[in-house]
Amino acid sequence: MRYRGLPPRRGLYDPGDEKESCGVGFVAHIKGQQSHQVILDAAEVLESMKHRGACGCEANTGDGAGMLTALPHRFLARVAREDLGVELPGPGEYAAGNFFLPTDAAERERAKQVVASVAAEQGQRILGWRRVPTDASGADIGPSARATEPVTEQLFVAAGPGSSGEAFERQLYVIRKQAGHRLRGSGRSQAEMFHACSLSTKVLVYKGQLTAEQLRPYYRDLSSADYESHLAMVHSRFSTNTFPSWDRAQPNRFMAHNGEINTLRGNMNWMRAREGVVRSDLFGADLEKVLPVVEPGGSDSGTFDNVLEFLLMTGRLLQEAIVMMIPEAWQTHESMHPDRKAFYEFHSCLMEPWDGPASIAFTDGRYIGAVLDRNGLRPSRYYVTHDDRVIMASEVGVLELDPANIKHKGRLQAGRMFLVDFERGRIVADEELKREISARRPYRRWLSRQVIDLSDLELAGQPRGFDPETLLARMQAFGFTSETLSFLLIPMVEEKRDPVGSMGNDTELACLSDQPLMIYDYFKQLFAQVTNPSIDSIREEVIMSLECFMGPEGNLLDAVEGQANRLRVPHPILSNEELAAIQHMRHRGWRTRTVDITYPRSEGAAGIPRALDRICEEAGAAIEGGYKLVLLSDRAVGPDRVAVSALLACGAVHHHLVRQSQRTRIGIILETGEAREVHHFCLLVGYGADAINPYLAF
């Protein structure tokens, strides 16, 4: 970590919390005409957004800046001939990419050998490495950035026999991922310096721990007159309360991001959980080589880019993958076309949204576009000119334009996509592109035949009663107090809201208390690092929904009818009657296995780890037995049996199944007397619960 400019995890600092809020933009020629002017215009856009980036303790050490362009074939052919004595094949038959390499000569050579070895294993041919001309002195790079400055080299790879088009791109993806796995985790002193900015037949990325004004002086390639492109995406980084580094600069390999992904931890964890069941005919056995999908140590933007690239390489269209990851608000959109709604609903069975605030620009060389998340809390504006140029950026005024040349101008809207298709030579309207995506498969028919609604289930067994004769004993067993009733439950019943007692929680930290406390008290809420307007599901009903799906998930990479065979519930809190219907269901072959999460009182504290082992084992056995849902229940609590905390039991089962690559094969429901506060439910959902029945609170 030290060579990335990041300290190790210590105290309250964790490198995994790195986020950013930045400036993003692009310049492109709609008809796909390449020119060096596109590079010059993009550089002006970037330098105009220097205020959206940031610098460190020195004014000349930036948080990061970069530019992504189409592969400049004429320029690359010349430098390969002049610097390496190599004649490049035609466009599409070779790939180029910029790599950050160790400064130590021996480690750098080893890194190159590993890349060459992986390329050979994948049947591709290395043409050579070119040292990218950089000028740290001329660009006036600050001391902190220089201290972690890597060596930047450009790799050329020729397509091997039988590799062409997208098949070649997939091989390049495997090469880059495998090399990263072998090098960055090697434990060598400069292992973390290895980073592939890009490796593609379509795009090329120049970036670094630079300010916006340092990018072109530092990378002299960008000033070459024959460096031509039909698109250029730029990014000026602001590392929000976090550390900058060379590899975390943007653009990433397919996107650049202004804002934050505030659902990041859940997105990452669920992506990891799904890896156990992913399969791809396009990759075959090579799929294992690109896992894990999310590269460790990346930022929120880098993580999003990892998953976006994975979806693209496994067969999805760029715009399809984007709307799958960042869907617009659709549940309560009354005028939305049913086919479009069906597309979003089907894909909500496969993946949860990556929630912003986010303005994301994206490109794969054929398309370039931008999108806002469903809340629309990040500004992005665009201009279209009469000479077929398009300029999009975080704000207006980033590029000097003749007003007479402006054909159209507008702004991105919440959930809407702005897309340029270079092959068709035009801007594709949001309505049109989503109509095309929605019509690719019969999503409405699939949903109508496969989705199971909670209302479809018959009450096969009697709901468990309230057992008033044991109510007090149960309340005592689960730690209820008179304050729980007076200040939490009664206000929630009467006012239908989470009661607020003050402007903050000044209760002492649980770890410092000498009183016995619930495990929930050891957790605190994570807040967004960037100030945003308050959002909740009541005030923002049009864009918020608590509806969720439960049960086994299919292969994320397949879009087939069976993926929609899931149980839909209006919200994750289940009444006693709803739980009874699920517990005894026999609908379309669905069955629920109940697992007791209590243990004998006679075992004392030693009973907890034994109980957790048993609970995890029974949950795994439920999967093998063909059950769709597992119900973790503490109803058996009594004078002789003690309940394991529902949070402990749920977290243990969830992580056990993730480790066994089985988590997405079953849904987890809790029947617990322990949960009664909003904080409790949030934690239980965060640690893997699909739905909760808080019977004692009822």
Side-chain angles (χ1 to χ4, degrees):
M1 281 296 201
R2 298 185 185 280
Y3 277 95
R4 303 171 70 195
L6 302 178
R9 180 176 178 176
R10 181 179 180 182
L12 296 178
Y13 172 72
D14 186 342
D17 293 334
E18 298 282 327
K19 293 189 177 183
E20 52 237 330
S21 180
C22 328
V24 62
F26 61 75
V27 178
H29 194 285
I30 296 172
K31 304 298 183 184
Q33 294 179 13
Q34 293 198 334
S35 70
H36 185 60
Q37 188 61 44
V38 169
I39 307 299
L40 298 177
D41 288 346
E44 183 179 339
V45 170
L46 177 62
E47 291 162 15
S48 297
M49 294 192 296
K50 62 183 179 182
H51 61 285
R52 283 194 169 267
C55 59
C57 51
E58 308 118 6
N60 55 352
T61 292
D63 276 7
M67 182 184 297
L68 178 153
T69 73
L71 212 65
H73 176 68
R74 194 158 71 95
F75 166 78
L76 293 176
R78 176 177 64 80
V79 296
R81 188 183 311 112
E82 293 175 356
D83 298 352
L84 305 176
V86 171
E87 290 293 334
L88 293 181
E93 298 176 10
Y94 75 95
N98 290 334
F99 283 68
F100 293 152
L101 299 174
T103 54
D104 179 83
E107 287 206 35
R108 185 164 65 252
E109 186 57 35
R110 179 179 178 274
K112 291 171 156 184
Q113 290 174 359
V114 168
V115 173
S117 173
V118 175
E121 291 171 12
Q122 298 304 128
Q124 312 306 312
R125 183 164 56 94
I126 299 289
L127 295 175
W129 292 85
R130 167 186 173 251
R131 185 75 171 256
V132 175
T134 58
D135 188 353
S137 298
D140 189 26
I141 307 299
S144 296
R146 286 199 191 199
T148 57
E149 179 187 12
V151 171
T152 305
E153 295 201 21
Q154 201 164 68
L155 172 65
F156 295 94
V157 181
S163 293
S164 62
E166 295 306 313
F168 184 33
E169 286 286 337
R170 283 189 286 275
Q171 290 301 319
L172 296 170
Y173 178 52
V174 174
I175 292 168
R176 183 175 54 71
K177 293 284 283 188
Q178 271 290 289
H181 294 339
R182 296 183 190 182
L183 289 165
R184 287 176 70 91
S186 66
R188 292 176 176 263
S189 60
Q190 293 190 345
E192 297 294 330
M193 282 187 114
F194 178 84
H195 174 75
C197 301
S198 62
L199 183 61
S200 171
T201 64
K202 302 173 183 178
V203 297
L204 189 60
V205 175
Y206 288 82
K207 67 177 187 178
Q209 192 180 332
L210 309 164
T211 66
E213 294 170 318
Q214 290 171 343
L215 183 70
R216 279 186 71 225
Y218 182 76
Y219 287 114
R220 298 206 299 267
D221 285 358
L222 297 175
S223 297
S224 298
D226 57 348
Y227 194 116
E228 298 172 332
S229 175
H230 63 284
L231 65 90
M233 181 191 296
V234 293
H235 189 273
S236 179
R237 185 171 188 248
F238 192 118
S239 307
T240 314
N241 302 332
T242 53
F243 288 91
S245 67
W246 283 80
D247 59 338
R248 284 179 174 167
Q250 295 187 47
N252 293 299
R253 296 165 190 123
F254 286 91
M255 53 76 75
H257 173 209
N258 171 25
E260 288 186 327
I261 303 296
N262 281 331
T263 55
L264 179 66
R265 189 165 298 180
N267 294 135
M268 291 173 61
N269 290 342
W270 279 112
M271 197 65 213
R272 181 72 183 90
R274 293 184 181 106
E275 289 176 4
V277 295
V278 292
R279 301 287 183 271
S280 171
D281 293 337
L282 296 173
F283 276 93
D286 278 349
L287 188 64
E288 289 294 323
K289 299 178 182 179
V290 304
L291 303 179
V293 173
V294 175
E295 297 170 7
S299 66
D300 53 344
S301 305
T303 300
F304 184 97
D305 186 73
N306 291 161
V307 177
L308 174 61
E309 183 176 29
F310 182 67
L311 294 175
L312 294 179
M313 293 299 165
T314 50
R316 281 187 167 85
L317 291 174
L318 177 63
Q319 56 269 40
E320 180 186 13
I322 290 287
V323 295
M324 179 177 168
M325 295 178 71
I326 310 180
E328 61 185 307
W330 58 272
Q331 284 99 331
T332 57
H333 196 314
E334 295 179 358
S335 61
M336 183 180 289
H337 192 282
D339 287 346
R340 190 155 145 193
K341 267 193 173 183
F343 170 87
Y344 286 125
E345 184 170 4
F346 176 83
H347 285 92
S348 70
C349 295
L350 306 184
M351 176 181 283
E352 64 292 326
W354 293 62
D355 205 8
S359 171
I360 289 181
F362 53 87
T363 185
D364 62 357
R366 175 187 170 176
Y367 301 99
I368 195 167
V371 67
L372 295 185
D373 70 284
R374 67 180 184 270
N375 294 293
L377 297 178
R378 284 294 175 269
S380 291
R381 297 183 175 270
Y382 63 87
Y383 282 38
V384 180
T385 66
H386 287 289
D387 56 356
D388 293 321
R389 287 185 298 158
V390 59
I391 300 97
M392 195 288 298
S394 301
E395 55 221 279
V396 295
V398 292
L399 183 63
E400 189 172 339
L401 295 171
D402 180 0
N405 192 30
I406 298 174
K407 181 179 180 181
H408 175 68
K409 57 185 176 182
R411 65 177 178 85
L412 297 187
Q413 299 178 47
R416 302 293 181 86
M417 184 180 292
F418 177 79
L419 187 74
V420 180
D421 184 336
F422 297 114
E423 287 191 6
R424 289 193 273 184
R426 66 182 180 90
I427 295 171
V428 184
D430 177 83
E431 193 70 33
E432 179 186 353
L433 73 90
K434 288 176 179 172
R435 184 171 62 248
E436 291 175 352
I437 293 170
S438 302
R440 295 186 73 201
R441 299 177 182 92
Y443 297 113
R444 264 204 292 172
R445 187 170 75 242
W446 290 356
L447 290 167
S448 66
R449 294 201 300 212
Q450 295 293 334
V451 169
I452 302 172
D453 279 302
L454 190 55
S455 57
D456 295 338
L457 306 183
E458 296 180 0
L459 186 58
Q462 287 299 314
R464 303 204 193 192
F466 292 105
D467 302 325
E469 68 279 1
T470 62
L471 180 59
L472 180 60
R474 287 172 176 270
M475 290 171 66
Q476 291 171 334
F478 287 110
F480 279 63
T481 64
S482 57
E483 287 82 6
T484 303
L485 297 176
S486 302
F487 298 119
L488 289 171
L489 291 179
I490 291 176
M492 278 199 284
V493 170
E494 293 181 344
E495 302 174 28
K496 298 182 180 179
R497 66 178 180 86
D498 187 21
V500 178
S502 68
M503 292 302 291
N505 184 353
D506 58 358
T507 308
E508 71 277 0
L509 294 176
C511 59
L512 301 180
S513 176
D514 57 3
Q515 298 297 315
L517 297 172
M518 299 177 70
I519 189 172
Y520 303 87
D521 297 325
Y522 289 83
F523 294 81
K524 295 292 183 182
Q525 182 178 351
L526 286 175
F527 288 93
Q529 292 179 319
V530 178
T531 303
N532 294 306
S534 354
I535 295 177
D536 62 48
S537 57
I538 297 173
R539 280 175 288 194
E540 299 291 344
E541 187 176 3
V542 70
I543 57 172
M544 296 288 182
S545 173
L546 294 176
E547 182 180 279
C548 50
F549 285 95
M550 295 193 301
E553 294 182 22
N555 177 6
L556 174 66
L557 307 182
D558 279 341
V560 295
E561 181 176 342
Q563 297 279 46
N565 185 220
R566 304 195 70 198
L567 175 62
R568 178 169 53 198
V569 295
H571 51 74
I573 308 302
L574 302 175
S575 69
N576 292 355
E577 290 75 17
E578 290 169 337
L579 181 71
I582 292 173
Q583 188 173 16
H584 302 289
M585 72 185 298
R586 293 292 186 272
H587 193 70
R588 299 189 196 171
W590 279 56
R591 294 180 299 150
T592 302
R593 168 75 181 272
T594 301
V595 174
D596 178 23
I597 60 170
T598 67
Y599 64 95
R601 177 183 174 186
S602 59
E603 293 185 3
I608 295 178
R610 282 199 287 268
L612 289 174
D613 288 342
R614 172 186 58 78
I615 292 165
C616 291
E617 184 180 339
E618 289 186 25
I623 295 174
E624 300 306 318
Y627 290 89
K628 304 291 187 181
L629 301 167
V630 60
L631 173 63
L632 307 181
S633 175
D634 58 25
R635 277 276 190 175
V637 68
D640 299 319
R641 295 194 70 81
V642 182
V644 174
S645 168
L647 184 58
L648 265 181
C650 179
V653 170
H654 173 76
H655 288 292
H656 169 73
L657 296 180
V658 168
R659 285 191 297 270
Q660 300 297 317
S661 299
Q662 293 183 317
R663 175 61 186 91
T664 57
R665 294 178 58 189
I666 200 165
I668 298 176
I669 303 174
L670 293 175
E671 181 184 31
T672 178
E674 184 178 62
R676 62 263 196 178
E677 299 179 27
V678 171
H679 180 59
H680 298 173
F681 299 119
C682 292
L683 277 168
L684 291 169
V685 171
Y687 276 88
D690 292 300
I692 305 151
N693 167 238
Y695 64 86
L696 191 56
F698 288 150

